[in-house]
C-alpha cells in the first residue's frame, strides 16, 4: 500500500516525520511555559490556603479549618513521596512538591 503524503508522490517520509517531531517539540515547549509555576506564586498559594483555613475554621468550626489545611498537607506529603520515589532527592524534591501543591495560585 502506498502512503499518501500532502506533498505528493515525491515526498520524503523521513522529512515529514522530522517536521512533525519538530512541531511537537515546539508545541510542548510552549505548553510547559504556559503551565509553569514559580516560587512567588506558590508562596501566594500557601497564603491563600492559610487564610482559607482560618476563615473556614472561624465560620464552620475548627475541624473544618483543620480539614482544609490537612488536605493540602497530605497533598504535599504524597507529592513529596512521589518525587522521592522517582529518584529526585533533597531540596529539589521539596521544591517540586511545593510548586505542585501550591503553584496553582499562578492562575488566581
Amino acid at each position: 500500500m502506498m502512503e499518501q503524503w500532502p506533498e505528493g508522490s515525491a515526498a520524503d517520509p523521513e522529512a515529514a516525520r522530522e517536521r512533525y517531531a519538530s512541531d511537537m517539540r515546539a508545541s510542548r515547549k510552549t505548553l510547559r511555559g504556559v503551565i509553569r509555576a514559580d516560587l512567588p506564586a506558590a508562596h501566594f498559594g500557601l497564603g491563600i490556603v492559610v487564610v482559607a483555613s482560618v476563615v473556614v475554621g472561624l465560620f464552620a468550626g475548627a475541624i473544618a479549618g483543620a480539614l482544609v489545611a490537612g488536605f493540602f498537607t497530605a497533598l504535599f506529603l504524597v507529592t513529596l513521596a512521589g518525587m522521592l520515589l522517582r529518584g529526585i532527592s533533597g531540596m529539589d524534591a521539596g521544591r517540586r512538591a511545593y510548586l505542585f501543591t501550591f503553584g496553582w495560585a499562578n492562575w488566581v
Side-chain angles (χ1 to χ4, degrees):
M1 180 174 150
M2 198 71 178
E3 291 186 55
Q4 296 294 325
W5 298 95
E7 294 89 0
S9 61
D12 180 16
E14 189 59 36
R17 285 185 192 91
E18 200 47 49
R19 217 174 27 253
Y20 173 78
S22 172
D23 290 345
M24 289 301 292
R25 279 192 302 272
S27 174
R28 289 178 183 139
K29 182 178 179 184
T30 303
L31 182 61
R32 278 192 306 272
V34 168
I35 64 172
R36 185 173 309 266
D38 54 353
L39 279 176
H43 295 329
F44 186 58
L46 177 61
I48 290 172
V49 169
V50 168
V51 169
S53 297
V54 170
V55 169
V56 168
L58 288 174
F59 290 110
I63 294 175
L67 284 174
V68 172
F71 170 77
F72 282 96
T73 302
L75 179 61
F76 174 77
L77 292 174
V78 167
T79 306
L80 181 61
M83 294 296 167
L84 293 172
L85 288 173
R86 286 181 57 198
I88 302 167
S89 62
M91 292 297 289
D92 192 37
R95 185 183 60 80
R96 288 183 185 197
Y98 183 72
L99 287 174
F100 179 80
T101 305
F102 301 108
W104 50 264
N106 213 13
W107 300 281
V108 171

